[in-house]
Amino acid sequence: MEERNENAVPHRTRGGLTVRRTVEACDPQALGELSRAVEHRRGGILSSGMEYPGRYSRWHLGYVDPCLELAARDRTLTARALNGRGRVLLPVIAAALREHAAVEVPSSGSSGDSVTATIPEPDPAAFLPEEERTRRPSVFSALRSIVALFSWDADPHLGLYGAFGYDLAFQFEPVTRTIDRDPGDRDLVLHLPDRLVVHDRKREKCLRYTYEFTVPGSFSPDNRAASTDGMARETPEAPMGTPTEVPPPPTPGSYARIVADAKERFARGDLYEVVPGHRMYAACDSPARFYDRLRERNPAPYEFFLNLGEDEYLVGASPEMFVRVTGTPGSGQRVETCPISGTIQRGADALGDAENIRALLTSPKEESELTMCTDVDRNDKSRVCEPGSVRVIGRRQIEMYSRLIHTVDHIEGTLRREFDALDAFVTHMWAVTVTGAPKTWAMRFIERNETTPRRWYGGAVGVIAFDGTMNTGLTLRTAHITNGVASVRAGATLLYDSEPQAEERETFLKARALLETLNESGAEGTERPVADARAGAGMRVLLVDCEDSFVNTLADYVRRHGAEVTTVRYSFDPGLLDELAPHLVVLSPGPGLPADFGTSELLEALEQRSIPVFGVCLGLQALVEHAGGELRTLDEPVHGKPERVRVTGGHMLDQLADEEGAFTAARYHSTFTTPEQVKNFTVTAVAREETTPVVMAIENPHTRQWGVQFHPESILTSGVGERIVENVLRMARMSAVGTETR
């Protein structure tokens, strides 16, 4: 066996630790023994019960008695040694935390020592472009330093295993918390296992990996090296708490009322889609037995059973990948996600399944749901991936589960060399399939309308491996068990088309597999070449983010043509325009109305400096309103849907129309304008001329301002979207840059 050739051969990590690995064959039954042990001691079992070629393969691994635990409460991260082996490693962990904050060392206790660091809030006056958002000071900054200590590219299994809570996103998103939270709630729990059992179910090979660590003397006050060799692995018990009474189910109609409120937000244009949830409950006297039965009854790509200590268990069968990163760090790692949206129940038999699949695939509403999710997902990747590398490699693929049928997209990108797996993770927090779009506004809606904190739901479980890779699943179809009660949260993807009672029924359908089981159980990424077209070569582009969910994809489209892009949130100091001296400003899409983002003041500052402007969706509306035109509200919003757009003139859309003089584009808006309401612009494209004509594009070559109402960065505009951006760059270059970039 190849692994045995490396037994007992020491390896040096990037942080100077020495790791000695031993590999031996073992019986797969060892995983069953681990599952029973995890019910009483900290540990975890993770598996995949689905085989979808190109996406998922079947595997199974587990551990118990990890030597170290990392736990976060808001911006405070605590590293706790769970046994003597963990205490050997604690000094190097403390050194890593000191890179980010002062470290507190509480007194020793029977369960081991710990060190605690509170990551300071970033300076609000410090300028940080959106491209560097994932490096905003947070608990992930400290995690990155800890991972660097153990970095070792020869082993794919050694790493940090555990759960990431929903509230971690608030270290990056400006969301005011209105739901009461227990200050003792943890937002992150990760374990460092030093013994794992790994069963490759495809090759039918089961191996036990055992690790010993040696810490150099430079981390010790007496300058003496320390080793875990020969030390005991047992940790204190972490049993279930005393069972409590099961809370009642949600009040009938309560979720439907949230749907009705959301529909008003869609009509106004605040939201395109949103995914609120609510909780259901059942008793659970054995998390291990529940996990075993759930795996048998409801196989899923991400099955997990985690004992997080402090009477917290997570048991789940999630159908959705969150973020998977493969390949060698610094050499173009592959980032993958598989957003799921579009759901229908299973049929009574294969013929019934086929009928339901047909209904699912022909539903415009279900297609719109997934389209918006994929557009947002592509946008998230575009912040950290190589320009042009983000692509959809699977569209509306069918995945079948015990109770449900889903449509799934598969998206990949190539991570830029300066970013790592944690950047890929953070840029996606949290998946649009559990939040909505625009993501920030959707998360605010969820905070206002859900009655309890999400805790682990909508977060992720999985591993940050020390070889630079990552594999995480979204925390869906999950029971959070404490005091003998399992809480199961489920939601539905809401659109303007949603029917309140139907969406409420869907939430109960999604939770049914877990609740019934509870009742019964009392490819390495590669660099892609830079695009040949260089319309923006040498240009500086400032992209103004109006809290939209597609901004990074739009920035990616601009970068593909050689321009340097800096993205900033709206309401910045106009002095930044003088500092950056952009050749073009792109005013992004966004929820709400232009006045919500102070666009008139910005446009005034741009006109004073004679800076060209390209407005997208909300950006077009801002240009129209600033020039004295009027805006109206559609009778029904159009979000994530294709539309035929007829070209009527101008240069921006030159040679993009087909033989009918039109092309297909993606619309996401509730606010619009008609040709007669536009002032000081030439209307160069319209839609729905047979009813009330909707302005789709405007141009003013004298003021060097252009705008489109549709979304060029959407997959539904893929035929012409990138060429529109190229045309705008060429026009801005010719009119504003002159000989500087020629």
Side-chain angles (χ1 to χ4, degrees), residues 498-575:
S498 292
E499 196 281 304
Q501 295 301 327
E503 300 291 2
E504 182 165 298
R505 286 193 298 271
E506 182 177 313
T507 65
F508 287 99
L509 179 63
K510 287 178 175 177
R512 193 173 75 184
L514 268 73
L515 294 173
E516 288 180 355
T517 306
L518 278 163
N519 290 333
E520 287 183 4
S521 63
E524 294 191 359
T526 56
E527 282 193 283
R528 294 177 62 85
V530 177
D532 292 333
R534 306 294 289 179
M539 292 181 66
R540 295 182 298 276
V541 175
L542 177 65
L543 199 161
V544 180
D545 179 3
C546 296
E547 295 187 331
D548 197 59
S549 289
F550 310 135
V551 174
N552 297 310
T553 304
L554 193 57
D556 179 80
Y557 275 34
V558 176
R559 290 192 187 99
R560 294 182 195 188
H561 297 287
E564 176 187 339
V565 181
T566 300
T567 309
V568 296
R569 291 277 173 110
Y570 71 100
S571 295
F572 56 86
D573 188 326

Side-chain angles (χ1 to χ4, degrees), residues 358-426:
R358 182 179 294 110
L360 181 61
L361 290 177
T362 56
S363 166
K365 173 186 176 292
E366 303 291 352
E367 183 174 6
S368 293
E369 283 186 18
L370 188 54
T371 293
M372 286 193 266
C373 290
T374 295
D375 276 344
V376 175
D377 189 285
R378 291 167 61 240
N379 178 76
D380 291 337
K381 285 184 181 59
S382 294
R383 181 186 281 115
V384 296
C385 286
E386 293 285 356
S389 71
V390 178
R391 62 192 187 111
V392 179
I393 58 175
R395 174 63 172 161
R396 298 200 78 198
Q397 298 175 313
I398 293 294
E399 289 186 358
M400 303 178 71
Y401 296 90
S402 63
R403 298 288 192 277
L404 303 170
I405 304 172
H406 293 301
T407 47
V408 183
D409 281 357
H410 191 178
I411 307 160
E412 70 171 6
T414 301
L415 201 61
R416 279 189 256 165
R417 292 174 183 270
E418 65 266 30
F419 292 123
D420 58 21
L422 286 174
D423 292 303
F425 186 94
V426 169

